[in-house]
Amino acid sequence: MASELPPGITHLQPLVEYSAGGSEREWTPFTKIKQYTNAFIIDKQEGKILLGYKKRGIGAGYFNGFGGKVEPGETPAEAASRELQEEAGIDAPLRECGTLFFHVPGLENAFDIHIFVADEYSGMITETEEMRPQWFSTSAMPPTTQAPGEPALLPIQYDHMWADDIHWFPLLLANKKFAGRADFADDGKTLMKWWFGSEDS
Ligand SMILES: Nc1nc2c([nH]c(=O)n2[C@H]2C[C@H](O)[C@@H](COP(=O)(O)OP(=O)(O)OP(=O)(O)O)O2)c(=O)[nH]1
């Protein structure tokens, strides 16, 4: 169990350290916290996860889950469902599985990102102005069995994602509850320091 969690992590249950690293410097101070969401569909039977290529805004050019700001009067769960519908055209029985506290120096606010997951969805997955949805294999190896005529799914493209994601995606994929913090450099891309833990080791 971590003796002292990074500032910003408010997870109620004890956490076991999973991945930590980066520079020795202190966690960057922040003044405001904004609530965000990020939602993933994971089809365990077929071994695939739905991500979207972000076409604009924060994290443009990266693959990510679907999400955005929690609007005034909304719960994070309501915001996550709304954003999933707005960005991918689908509905899903989302459950909150983790939190990512994220900070870039120079930005007034830190991001408290509520991570949601579902293993099924309804509706038709649709490309939107913000996101181009794409399934990826959850296995490091490309799947060997494919439906006839279907292209093999790529493994998750960590080198085209936020630099912290590789440190907590394994917890998401293993269905573990987790929380963590990632501090970035001024460029908003280079990961300077991180800590992630899960409820079970
Ligand atoms: N996986 C991952 N997602 C991140 C990281 N940092 C970060 O902001 N995000 C997510 C949180 C949100 O889902 C998304 C940023 O939301 P957005 O671009 O839609 O924000 P916005 O202000 O435009 O909000 P909105 O208009 O969609 O409500 O990026 C990170 O380090 N890893």
Side-chain angles (χ1 to χ4, degrees):
M1 196 187 306
S3 49
E4 208 180 319
L5 295 174
I9 298 183
T10 53
H11 199 79
L12 296 175
Q13 303 300 323
L15 293 168
V16 180
E17 182 175 299
Y18 171 72
S19 176
S23 70
E24 290 296 309
R25 70 177 200 181
E26 296 297 311
W27 296 102
T28 351
F30 52 89
T31 46
K32 278 201 213 160
I33 302 173
K34 277 199 181 167
Q35 307 291 320
Y36 280 75
T37 67
N38 204 349
F40 298 89
I41 310 293
I42 299 178
D43 181 334
K44 287 203 195 76
Q45 252 173 347
E46 293 200 16
K48 61 185 188 178
I49 181 168
L50 185 66
L51 302 178
Y53 178 80
K54 190 119 186 320
K55 298 199 255 179
R56 63 175 194 201
I58 306 166
Y62 291 153
F63 290 104
N64 203 350
F66 303 89
K69 270 190 230 85
V70 179
E71 299 293 347
E74 265 184 337
T75 63
E78 287 164 350
S81 295
R82 176 183 52 73
E83 291 278 354
L84 184 63
Q85 176 55 237
E86 282 174 12
E87 294 187 353
I90 55 173
D91 298 305
L94 295 171
R95 57 183 188 277
E96 190 159 356
C97 61
T99 322
L100 162 61
F101 193 86
F102 165 90
H103 192 241
V104 178
L107 284 191
E108 193 184 9
N109 59 281
F111 294 66
D112 196 16
I113 306 171
H114 301 261
I115 314 281
F116 288 83
V117 68
D119 33 37
E120 54 185 6
Y121 68 93
S122 56
M124 178 136 53
I125 296 171
T126 310
E127 179 169 351
T128 59
E129 280 184 13
E130 188 140 348
M131 290 290 234
R132 190 181 69 228
Q134 186 174 338
W135 290 102
F136 290 88
S137 169
T138 52
S139 145
M141 306 291 286
T144 46
T145 48
Q146 282 294 307
E150 290 221 354
L153 295 178
L154 293 172
I156 296 169
Q157 305 287 292
Y158 289 112
D159 48 350
H160 296 288
M161 291 164 66
W162 285 100
D164 57 297
D165 291 7
I166 197 166
H167 299 294
W168 55 268
F169 255 60
L171 298 172
L172 172 77
L173 297 172
N175 203 20
K176 292 192 172 170
K177 288 211 166 168
F178 65 92
R181 174 166 172 168
D183 278 16
F184 278 73
D186 294 346
D187 64 3
K189 290 186 171 175
T190 312
L191 184 58
M192 298 301 291
K193 186 175 170 99
W194 71 91
W195 187 95
F196 289 95
S198 68
E199 285 186 9
D200 338 283
S201 49

